[in-house]
Amino acid sequence: MRLVFWVGLCTFLIDQVTKYWVVHGMNLAQIGSIDLFPPYLNLRMAWNYGINFGLMAQDSPLTRWVLIAVALVISGAVLWWVYRDPAGRWQKISAGLLVGGALGNVIDRLIYGAVADFLNMSCCGLNNPYAFNVADIAVFAGALGMVLFSHDGKKAS
């Protein structure tokens, strides 16, 4: 469980530092957008009140608290899963990514009322209108890793 803790803490800190730097240090909340390496990598400020791709994006206190509760329940369930059925190093790393990212977005909802999304990537003539953040990447990678590595080191029946 130590590995889960350290990966989760590092993920959480990287997420929060990048958000603070972009929102406040670079003043992206006021500027709105910065082209870094167009069209491949841009910063586009987006306040996400819902879940991925703006689903459930009502700016209401109920939605905010429900999404906070869901993230905390999922984080708790992942920690319980890894504690009860440890499958190996990669599963623990995946769990740390998922939990650290989820908690990073929870902090955003508590502080800002919404998740601070700012990374935007497009390529090859496809214009991506959506923004995401480090926590979103970690949650996605962690969830995928939990599925792929949940039986790492165990013999399949």
Side-chain angles (χ1 to χ4, degrees):
M1 289 298 285
R2 254 187 244 132
L3 183 59
V4 175
F5 172 80
W6 287 111
V7 170
L9 180 63
C10 288
T11 301
F12 175 82
L13 291 174
I14 291 167
D15 174 64
Q16 290 298 297
V17 166
T18 58
K19 286 174 182 171
Y20 187 85
W21 175 57
V22 168
V23 172
H24 300 289
M26 297 178 74
N27 202 21
L28 192 64
Q30 298 300 318
I31 296 170
S33 67
I34 300 171
D35 291 334
L36 295 177
F37 188 56
Y40 306 108
L41 179 60
N42 303 298
L43 302 180
R44 302 280 186 263
M45 191 69 227
W47 294 104
N48 188 351
Y49 295 94
I51 56 177
N52 287 356
F53 307 115
L55 297 172
M56 293 179 53
Q58 303 140 354
D59 181 13
S60 76
L62 178 61
T63 302
R64 174 184 175 198
W65 290 107
V66 165
L67 292 174
I68 288 171
V70 167
L72 293 174
V73 167
I74 290 171
S75 295
V78 166
L79 292 173
W80 180 79
W81 179 8
V82 172
Y83 176 76
R84 299 275 298 159
D85 188 26
R89 180 179 185 85
W90 287 105
Q91 183 204 36
K92 292 174 184 165
I93 291 169
S94 298
L97 288 169
L98 196 155
V99 171
L103 295 179
N105 282 344
V106 163
I107 294 299
D108 283 12
R109 290 187 195 285
L110 290 171
I111 293 172
Y112 304 119
V115 174
D117 289 337
F118 57 90
L119 294 169
N120 174 265
M121 300 177 81
S122 295
C123 179
C124 312
L126 299 173
N127 185 22
N128 175 19
Y130 300 105
F132 55 95
N133 60 44
V134 172
D136 296 338
I137 297 167
V139 167
F140 179 81
L144 182 62
M146 289 294 294
V147 171
L148 294 175
F149 303 120
S150 64
H151 296 291
D152 185 32
K154 294 183 182 179
K155 291 186 179 183
S157 309

